[in-house]
Amino acid sequence: MGMEMFDKANLRAAMRLYAVTDNAWLGERTLATCVSQALEGGATFVQLRDKAASTEGLVDQARELLPLCRAAGVPFVVDDDVEAARASGADGVHVGQSDTACAEARRVLGPAAIVGVSAQTVEQARAAQAAGADYLGVGAMISTSTKPDACVVAPDTLRAICDAVSIPVVAIGGLNTETLGILKGTGVDGAAVVSAVFAAPDVKAAALGLGRALDAIM
């Protein structure tokens, strides 16, 4: 694998086990160590999410994680902060549900960048695809302590979203080896996980276990 940007032609397969970082669970460990272990365990996508960090702080963290993801051939995006994504050389950004976020990210980062958009409804999903999103993050599937105020998306809605768009879809929110079964039959391309990987005492083993659970339903 070279150090070039991730090829978007392989994006659908990269949705399979989408790891979203959360520094709250690190304890004595470093983020880079945990991300390395997640990649060893089969994570296929990494999103840097740190709502408390400044743009500079995100850039510093991203520059540490990007080489790990490049070496593994896995896409790496930054949550919400388009400037941090641009400055760090990340593969792209994941943005929320605002009218201009997707178009603005695309304008700043260019056509090769990966732009993911959060969606909760078929209407939002179609709008995001029309605005140039490369993939959708749909959730929360189950209410979680990570985002207690997130609206819960029913599996039927997830299925309808997957049917309505041609871009890849990853489900997020409360997903772990016990709950992944709710994705069965929805047509989703993968699961995004936060605490199911990063809160685990053994991050690699957690990622491997999630991969096995996904094998059983997808």
Side-chain angles (χ1 to χ4, degrees):
M1 277 288 174
M3 299 301 274
E4 68 282 350
M5 279 183 79
F6 183 80
D7 179 359
K8 290 202 286 190
N10 302 317
L11 194 57
R12 193 172 296 275
M15 293 288 115
R16 184 176 174 74
L17 182 54
Y18 183 127
V20 181
T21 70
D22 188 339
N23 293 352
W25 307 109
L26 295 179
E28 301 295 302
R29 307 171 296 181
T30 68
L31 186 58
T33 300
C34 290
V35 168
S36 286
Q37 291 168 350
L39 291 165
E40 284 169 25
T44 57
F45 198 115
V46 174
Q47 179 192 129
L48 170 62
R49 184 161 83 191
D50 184 351
K51 296 295 190 192
S54 63
T55 294
E56 293 72 30
L58 282 170
V59 170
D60 288 344
Q61 292 183 74
R63 284 182 174 152
E64 201 176 357
L65 301 182
L66 187 56
L68 305 174
C69 295
R70 285 275 197 276
V74 163
F76 173 75
V77 301
V78 178
D79 179 50
D80 254 3
D81 193 319
V82 175
E83 187 46 43
R86 189 195 63 75
S88 64
D91 292 306
V93 69
H94 187 93
V95 294
Q97 193 42 243
S98 87
D99 293 344
T100 55
C102 181
E104 177 63 11
R106 178 68 67 212
R107 186 185 68 72
V108 173
L109 299 176
I114 297 169
V115 178
V117 178
S118 297
Q120 281 81 39
T121 67
V122 169
E123 292 73 25
Q124 289 175 354
R126 287 199 175 114
Q129 177 169 279
D134 291 301
Y135 75 87
L136 300 175
V138 175
M141 299 308 301
I142 294 161
S143 67
T144 70
S145 58
T146 317
K147 284 200 167 179
D149 55 344
C151 119
V152 174
V153 174
D156 285 349
T157 304
L158 176 61
R159 185 181 305 114
I161 288 171
C162 292
D163 287 345
V165 297
S166 58
I167 55 177
V169 177
V170 64
I172 189 167
L175 298 174
N176 56 46
T177 51
E178 307 296 309
T179 60
L180 279 174
I182 65 164
L183 302 183
K184 193 175 176 75
T186 60
V188 75
D189 294 294
V193 290
V194 191
S195 58
V197 169
F198 292 107
D202 185 335
V203 172
K204 180 180 175 180
L208 284 164
L210 285 158
R212 282 194 296 271
L214 284 165
D215 285 342
I217 62 160
M218 291 178 71

